[in-house]
Amino acid sequence: MQFRNLPSVDSVLALPNVTAAAAAYSREWVVELAREELDAARQRIRQGGEADGAEEIAALVCRRAEEAGLAEPRRVINATGVVIHTNLGRAPLSRAAMQAAEEAAAGYSNLEFDLEAGRRGSRQARLESLIRQVTGAEAALAVNNNASAVLLGLLALAAGREVIVSRAEAVEIGGGFRVPDVLRQSGATLVDVGTTNRTYLRDYEEATTEDTAAYLKVHASNFRVEGFTSEVDAKELAALGDRLGVAVLHDVGSGSLLPTERYGMAHEPMPQESIRAGMGLVFFSGDKLLGGPQAGIVAGRRELVGLLARHPLARAVRIDKLSLASLTATLVHYLRGEAEREIPVWRMISATAESLKERAHSWKRQLSEPYSVAESRSAVGGGSLPGETLPTWALALDASSLPEGAEGVMRLLREGRPPVVARVEDERVMFDPRTVAPDEDMELLAALRGLNG
């Protein structure tokens, strides 16, 4: 009987809001949306639900049409306190980096044109110069992400030969990036040495043969092993490689160009340290602690970088013009000594607990109960500094007495414009000011007031 109460497609399409949607988009597509929503309504009836009316179906159709017209990915307010949030796009860009990308996108550029010589140039030239200056490397290049950089390095230097890796470093870093799989795809053969917790220099030396192309050292960026452990120092491994004529490659992961211990955290490997240690090639990400766009950066010895640059895969994984522009602008911040002030991830990391407490109290004063301010911890995230957190103060919403509960509140916030993503601690929804940009305060407060309206 309930099926007979469902409206027809034509009756849904005749409603003014659906007619407007059909005019704004494509009538054929809106008709298809109406049919899909009616199919979904029939399924709900089969599961014991009531029939939806034409207005209810029309509202669902219009909502889907409106959402399809929104830009993707959408901007969200990150109130989780996770600075480099992988699911929320990792590092936000500085204003200069955004402006550089906008200018590169708005018209033509000298992407591969030498303005002085008046002929074809290299898209890597200016970027390479900057990377060399901030890392001390002889040469450098950038590709679309760090996984590509490592794969390119292995293909160019070790295809068909052996690569020695500490068993403790043959890891899965995230997103399915597994060191053994990458080696297999490159055509190189993995030779793992040592044990899961202790590897010595002699392990590398004893495993080296005429077929050894490289030693690969990998920073386990999203976990750490503590206790009875031992790993080979980068400088020692580089010296062994030089003595035996084996290239030494180092994936340092997050690309931290500033010392993290300055901010009360454990030391994160820095590309410039690996270069000084004598590593042949160093690989790192552009969109983690470096604070730029998605990119993979290779820095190191000129002859090795040249082999990568000339490899056929280099063109397939090359960096695009928008990322190139924003990465260049980001690196300039380091040269000017302004990274902590201008690059958002470092501005967030360097924020003091006292300043965050003041912001959280400022939010609370503009809201009614049941909000409070609570001491908590922020995470760096993004596969950087595993287990390391920063002291913070967050605005807390006690959801234990609310009918929708904490998860219901989180869902309502995600449905907002813009969506707000927070975190839950002990049935409290926590809003950490560390990762909320100051110019987002008013939008966040409006979203929180909307929960009561």
Side-chain angles (χ1 to χ4, degrees):
M1 190 67 180
Q2 288 292 331
F3 290 103
R4 294 181 181 177
N5 294 331
L6 283 174
S8 66
V9 172
D10 287 341
S11 63
V12 173
L13 294 173
L15 293 173
N17 53 348
V18 180
T19 300
Y25 299 99
S26 157
R27 177 175 173 78
E28 291 76 11
W29 178 59
V30 172
V31 169
E32 185 60 30
L33 290 180
R35 287 173 176 157
E36 289 177 4
E37 289 302 331
L38 284 166
D39 286 342
R42 293 185 188 96
Q43 184 59 35
R44 289 192 290 273
I45 291 172
R46 293 187 189 99
Q47 295 172 353
E50 298 290 326
D52 293 318
E55 291 80 4
E56 293 165 310
I57 297 294
L60 293 170
V61 169
C62 291
R63 179 174 179 176
R64 286 184 59 186
E66 184 180 0
E67 288 178 347
L70 295 173
E72 286 287 345
R74 276 186 275 169
R75 180 176 72 89
V76 305
I77 295 176
N78 175 15
T80 67
V82 180
V83 176
I84 306 171
H85 200 305
T86 299
N87 302 127
L88 299 184
R90 289 187 177 167
L93 299 178
S94 71
R95 292 192 182 279
M98 287 188 288
Q99 182 178 356
E102 183 179 0
E103 290 181 359
Y108 296 103
S109 67
N110 64 329
L111 177 66
E112 292 185 353
F113 186 75
D114 187 327
L115 292 171
E116 183 177 347
R119 59 175 180 265
R120 182 182 177 89
S122 168
R123 71 173 60 198
Q124 298 277 352
R126 166 72 170 142
L127 183 63
E128 181 186 29
S129 175
L130 289 169
I131 297 171
R132 288 173 56 198
Q133 290 178 73
V134 298
T135 66
E138 293 179 355
L141 63 84
V143 294
N144 62 349
N145 63 34
N146 197 42
S148 295
V150 175
L151 179 60
L152 177 61
L154 292 169
L155 273 166
L157 303 180
R161 299 182 66 193
E162 294 178 348
V163 175
I164 298 177
V165 184
S166 167
R167 186 168 283 115
E169 297 173 5
V171 296
E172 179 175 333
I173 296 172
F177 182 85
R178 308 180 76 186
V179 170
D181 292 343
V182 174
L183 280 161
R184 192 177 303 113
Q185 290 297 319
S186 73
T189 300
L190 168 67
V191 177
D192 57 354
V193 297
T195 64
T196 55
N197 61 321
R198 296 181 75 83
T199 302
Y200 303 98
L201 188 65
R202 65 175 181 270
D203 295 322
Y204 290 91
E205 185 167 9
E206 291 170 358
T208 304
T209 69
E210 292 183 356
D211 204 33
T212 301
Y215 302 140
L216 175 62
K217 188 170 179 61
V218 181
H219 174 48
S221 56
N222 59 359
F223 72 95
R224 63 184 179 191
V225 178
E226 297 179 326
F228 190 62
T229 63
S230 176
E231 66 174 293
V232 176
D233 177 74
K235 191 171 184 179
E236 292 180 326
L237 190 59
L240 178 65
D242 286 343
R243 178 161 61 86
L244 299 181
V246 175
V248 187
L249 318 179
H250 193 186
D251 178 4
V252 298
S254 67
S256 178
L257 295 173
L258 297 181
T260 50
E261 60 270 30
R262 180 188 299 171
Y263 308 98
M265 298 179 291
H267 180 72
E268 181 79 356
M270 301 168 68
Q272 57 267 49
E273 292 175 335
S274 292
I275 295 296
R276 287 196 297 268
M279 290 291 182
L281 291 179
V282 181
F283 309 98
F284 52 102
S285 295
D287 59 347
K288 293 184 179 179
L289 285 174
L290 193 145
Q294 177 179 298
I297 300 171
V298 186
R301 297 182 180 177
R302 183 171 290 104
E303 67 274 14
L304 298 181
V305 173
L307 290 173
L308 272 64
R310 293 189 294 272
H311 193 277
L313 183 67
R315 182 175 179 84
V317 299
R318 68 182 180 179
I319 189 169
D320 73 279
K321 66 178 182 180
L322 304 188
S323 296
L324 179 69
S326 55
L327 180 57
T328 299
T330 302
L331 290 169
V332 168
H333 291 314
Y334 289 96
L335 285 184
R336 291 177 175 169
E338 61 188 22
E340 188 180 272
R341 183 179 72 251
E342 298 295 335
I343 297 177
V345 295
W346 287 108
R347 195 165 60 236
M348 295 173 190
I349 288 171
S350 62
T352 65
E354 192 59 34
S355 68
L356 297 171
K357 183 178 182 180
E358 184 177 329
R359 279 188 74 195
H361 274 291
S362 173
W363 292 350
K364 181 182 180 298
R365 285 193 293 270
Q366 299 176 69
L367 297 165
S368 58
E369 299 296 341
Y371 290 96
S372 61
V373 173
E375 196 169 7
S376 188
R377 308 288 298 186
S378 307
V380 176
S384 305
L385 297 162
E388 293 290 320
T389 58
L390 297 162
T392 192
W393 290 81
L395 181 72
L397 170 61
D398 184 358
S400 58
S401 60
L402 300 178
E404 59 267 38
E407 290 304 323
V409 170
M410 296 276 280
R411 176 181 54 77
L412 290 171
L413 289 168
R414 292 195 302 270
E415 292 173 351
R417 303 283 176 81
V420 175
V421 182
R423 69 174 186 266
V424 176
E425 293 179 7
D426 301 323
E427 202 54 27
R428 295 180 303 171
V429 182
M430 309 289 282
F431 305 92
D432 192 331
R434 186 181 297 277
T435 51
V436 178
D439 59 6
E440 294 176 326
D441 281 6
M442 292 300 102
E443 289 179 307
L444 174 63
L445 292 170
L448 299 182
R449 294 187 189 105
L451 291 173
N452 300 325

